[in-house]
Amino acid sequence: APPTRGCWLLPASDLAALAIARQREQLAALGWRLLTCAPRLVSALSNKLRFRELAASRGLLAHLPRHFLTPADATFPCVLKAAVGEFGRHVHILRTREEAELRWDVALRWQQRRGRRGGGADADDAAEAADEEEGWLLQELIAGRVEHSASLLVVDGAIVGAVVTEYTYAADEYVWPHVREIKEQRVSHSVLPPTHRAVMAALLAGFSGMCNVNYKVRGDALCIFEVNVRVGGDLAEDAPPELARGLFEALDRQGEGTGEARFGPAGGEMDHARPQTPPPPPPPPSPPRGAA
């Protein structure tokens, strides 16, 4: 039970976000204030392979790094990353085809040893287990020293608050956190350009909760690496206190007059949440140097 009445239960990891979504009715009955949605959508956003499938179903692949099916299809340098993982774990920059083929072979053998996770007692549990299945993703490396991290407050797919932090690093090609940040150039604000907001809202249709979107900007176009369905360190540690406080105050207002918990749209299934008209694709980027 919450320590005092009116406490919000917010996830600090993707696993916690999924656990809250699955147990939302029991947690709300105990008195926690919640902002969450269907477990399948939470899982799809946090799993990097399922995230790409979700973006494809919503016509948004142009806003993600290019995907390669095998090392033979790749351009170099490229990135190999595990579908499930946080803080740069199991993410590798590959600079040659020989290195990519070696890493790819090791990754596939590792995946085969782990095997497929079994389903639960019913079809919904089995579908969620499939959503969480681990795998590997080979994709374009997006070069550039400036990376954006947007902490968003989302209610039924509508972005009602944002804190954006821009980080500048000492290298064009890197895997965070294995890179030095030039901290004096860090900037935080609450402004999302309308085109960026439209893309993120289309991607997050049906989602309710706090999340963190990591991306770079090529020209005027977004290139989104991942969505973390949790409160991120950018908000908890890096953003100015007044911006973070404003976002949490906006969260606190979500419970006013609506009960103590918000579970997203009725039913909450991903397919029912697709936008009718996706935002237009970005203009063709200049020849990429890579992607991260």
Side-chain angles (χ1 to χ4, degrees):
T4 60
R5 181 175 176 80
C7 286
W8 287 92
L9 184 60
L10 301 175
S13 72
D14 289 350
L15 287 177
L18 186 56
I20 290 171
R22 286 175 170 167
Q23 303 174 54
R24 56 197 185 276
E25 294 182 359
Q26 299 95 315
L27 291 168
L30 289 173
W32 288 104
R33 299 177 73 184
L34 307 173
L35 183 62
T36 186
C37 59
R40 288 192 65 187
L41 182 52
V42 172
S43 179
L45 287 167
S46 60
N47 181 298
K48 296 175 182 64
L49 280 172
R50 294 281 292 148
F51 173 64
R52 185 178 182 279
E53 294 172 2
L54 179 66
S57 73
R58 297 179 173 185
L60 298 170
L61 278 184
H63 301 282
L64 272 61
R66 286 181 299 156
H67 175 71
F68 307 119
L69 292 176
T70 69
D73 303 320
T75 57
F76 296 92
C78 63
V79 172
L80 177 67
K81 60 173 65 176
V84 178
E86 299 175 334
F87 307 112
R89 187 167 57 94
H90 301 316
V91 179
H92 309 280
I93 295 178
L94 308 177
R95 301 194 178 279
T96 67
R97 178 155 298 164
E98 293 74 18
E99 181 186 12
E101 289 173 347
L102 177 61
R103 286 277 189 183
W104 185 252
D105 183 62
V106 170
L108 292 182
R109 285 191 279 112
W110 179 85
Q111 184 177 350
Q112 290 168 357
R113 285 199 303 270
R114 290 182 61 88
R116 185 178 180 85
R117 296 182 181 181
D122 56 32
D124 288 339
D125 287 342
E128 287 178 20
D131 285 350
E132 296 170 50
E133 181 184 4
E134 295 188 19
W136 293 85
L137 186 69
L138 190 64
Q139 66 182 34
E140 175 190 11
L141 173 73
I142 305 298
R145 298 191 175 203
V146 179
E147 184 169 331
H148 302 250
S149 184
S151 286
L152 305 178
L153 173 61
V154 184
V155 180
D156 297 348
I159 299 173
V160 299
V163 174
V164 182
T165 299
E166 301 176 14
Y167 300 92
T168 300
Y169 296 107
D172 287 321
E173 300 172 353
Y174 59 87
V175 173
W176 185 89
H178 310 296
V179 64
R180 181 176 64 86
E181 182 196 353
I182 306 174
K183 291 187 177 181
E184 58 270 23
Q185 296 185 27
R186 183 190 297 172
V187 177
S188 294
H189 54 82
S190 58
V191 178
L192 272 180
T195 53
H196 294 186
R197 180 181 290 268
V199 172
M200 293 180 190
L203 186 60
L204 295 168
F207 178 75
S208 288
M210 297 190 75
C211 67
N212 171 266
V213 181
N214 293 328
Y215 61 98
K216 288 184 178 178
V217 178
R218 297 192 288 194
D220 294 327
L222 286 178
C223 188
I224 298 174
F225 306 144
E226 62 185 10
V227 173
N228 301 303
V229 287
R230 54 178 168 81
V231 176
D234 61 311
L235 181 65
E237 299 179 7
D238 298 341
E242 61 274 14
L243 291 180
R245 182 172 59 249
L247 196 63
F248 286 118
E249 288 174 348
L251 169 68
D252 208 41
R253 289 193 294 271
Q254 297 309 308
E256 296 176 359
T258 62
E260 295 300 309
R262 297 288 298 273
F263 294 159
E269 291 299 325
M270 291 186 294
D271 290 344
H272 296 167
R274 294 179 187 170
Q276 295 299 312
T277 305
S286 57
R289 294 177 52 190

